Amino acid sequence: MTRRNFRNLFVSSAQISFLLAALSFSLFAQGKNPVILIPGLSGSELQHKDTKERVWYRTFKIKSEDLRLPIVADPTKIHDNLTPGDVLRSVKIGIFPAIDVYGSFIKAMTLRGGYHEEKWESPSENGFEDSLYLFSYDWRLDNVSNARLLIKRVEELKLKLKKPNLKFDIVAHSMGGIISRYAAMYGDADLPTGKRKAVPTWAGAKDFDKIILMGTPNEGSALTISSLLNGFSIGGLRLQLPLVQDTSKFTVFTIPSTYQLLPAPGTFRAFDDRLEPVEVDIYDPKVWSKYGWNAIDDKKFASHFNSAERKIAANYFAAALDRGKRLHEALNTANGQTGGISFHLLGADCKTALDAVVIYRDEKAKKWKTLFGPKGFTRQDGVKVSDDELRKLMLSPGDGIVTSRSLEAITQSEKAGLASIVGNKSDKFICEDHNKLATNDRIQDYIIGILNGKGSPTDDEKEK
């Protein structure tokens, strides 16, 4: 063989090897799992289904349109003329600068994470990999119904993509984590009726691979009781003016998802005026009337609801409480299992959050008072209870809204004798406010790392 022939043979062999390697890479190269972002309470736009005019979020309400839902006896049957629009990317309140909600997270996923945003209804040809889907939903409605909607959308999308075995990763913020946990454990099944106990099937395991729970109140929050008593705030302010969006307690009363964020059974902490623990069953409607919490007992209730709604209000209230209780119980049956899904908890423990309330009888006013903040008071026997005493009792580490105890489901896990009812999970704490978790650069990068398969940090790497 001549030297030239040998050289040509070597070049040809090298080219063939390169082509085979390239072909092998193209055959076996695989993009990242598609990701679903599930926002929390109030994190999706709501618009009128006919006019498409946005009702939420907007500071000033549309004439004749607000967030209040019509009361019916069955909380799962409630609906009105509002439908979900886009995930809230930012909001603007009056003259103040726009507030980032999920906009920077979506940008981080595309610019730094290598994902591209897709549409559920019309996915592109490569919508099955390196893609980001936004699960906007009517956050006022029942969480189980929204979990079932999630499963329906995923299954329909897999058919469109012709990928029956495709699995998705989930990044869920706040209440979105409740939705994702239920979808993973029960798929498209509703809560059992009567005295039957929920038994996890992990039907969602065929759809999901990794689930990141960001600031999720896995054991609920005592702040929910405050919202049912006082309404919820916009940008930290409670604005009850004629032209401003109504977020009063009468509106909150009609929202089924609110009741599903109450403290899980057996986790609620309450104390009397002597700072001694008291047993309070927050899922008993009689307890709400006893302590003056029930909106139905408010003399202004009649002016906010028609006669038909007033007749069934008590039945609705009892049903909403019962469904909230049964949802928590259903989520508490995992027995440390995950169905093969990898769970990751992400939150903060540098900001104090409400972890207990104080309830005492004011004999002078002849009514019960409930403290949702460490504001000192004088007992009936003249002894003063200081702010500092209450602060130590009522507040615990968290993200300002959700305690780390609730995020990690510590109380429920201890009662079940398990390391975590969420299952074989990892957790990480980065100092940030609850409503800014998704906007934090370090949190975004950490999430991208988990989604890229970098794994979970060791205990030494976790930031406390």
Side-chain angles (χ1 to χ4, degrees), residues 103-282:
S104 68
F105 178 84
I106 295 169
K107 288 181 180 178
M109 290 289 287
T110 56
L111 298 178
R112 304 201 302 274
Y115 292 86
H116 59 276
E117 192 175 338
E118 288 276 359
K119 301 294 184 184
W120 294 90
E121 299 79 10
S122 54
S124 68
E125 194 172 315
N126 64 339
F128 62 90
E129 60 181 359
D130 303 329
S131 48
L132 175 65
Y133 293 88
L134 309 180
F135 181 70
S136 57
Y137 61 97
D138 190 337
W139 41 267
R140 303 171 302 165
L141 305 183
D142 174 67
N143 279 314
V144 174
S145 299
N146 279 320
R148 299 178 72 184
L149 174 63
L150 173 63
I151 294 295
K152 181 181 178 182
R153 284 195 188 176
V154 166
E155 293 297 332
E156 289 176 348
L157 182 59
K158 287 163 71 171
L159 285 174
K160 290 176 182 177
L161 294 170
K162 298 179 180 179
K163 296 284 184 180
N165 299 320
L166 184 63
K167 287 194 176 186
F168 295 75
D169 294 334
I170 291 178
V171 178
H173 179 226
S174 196
M175 189 176 75
I178 301 297
I179 292 172
S180 65
R181 283 183 65 199
Y182 189 90
M185 293 174 67
Y186 298 97
D188 187 32
D190 196 2
L191 286 169
T193 58
K195 295 182 179 180
R196 289 188 299 123
K197 299 293 184 183
V199 178
T201 60
W202 292 104
K206 71 180 188 300
D207 295 319
F208 309 125
D209 184 16
K210 293 184 285 289
I211 296 180
I212 300 174
L213 305 175
M214 181 169 49
T216 295
N218 287 306
E219 290 186 346
S221 171
L223 281 174
T224 307
I225 302 175
S226 177
S227 294
L228 284 161
L229 267 67
N230 305 305
F232 62 83
S233 61
I234 298 176
L237 301 174
R238 285 195 171 87
L239 305 173
Q240 300 302 332
L241 302 173
L243 298 177
V244 175
Q245 189 64 261
D246 177 23
T247 60
S248 71
K249 68 178 181 180
F250 301 111
T251 292
V252 178
F253 177 84
T254 69
I255 297 177
S257 63
T258 305
Y259 300 87
Q260 296 165 358
L261 294 177
L262 287 167
T267 69
F268 182 52
R269 299 175 65 233
F271 298 87
D272 60 18
D273 60 347
R274 295 180 180 273
L275 308 189
E276 295 291 333
V278 292
E279 291 290 330
V280 178
D281 182 0
I282 57 173

Side-chain angles (χ1 to χ4, degrees), residues 2 23 26 59 62 66 75 102 111 116 136 156 176 184 224 284 287-288 346 365 376 423-424 434 441 446 448:
T2 64
L23 179 61
S26 64
T59 305
I62 302 173
D66 57 31
Y102 296 106
L111 298 178
H116 59 276
S136 57
E156 289 176 348
T224 307
D284 183 352
V287 168
W288 287 73
L346 177 59
N424 184 21
H434 180 79
D441 288 346
Y446 176 76
I448 290 170

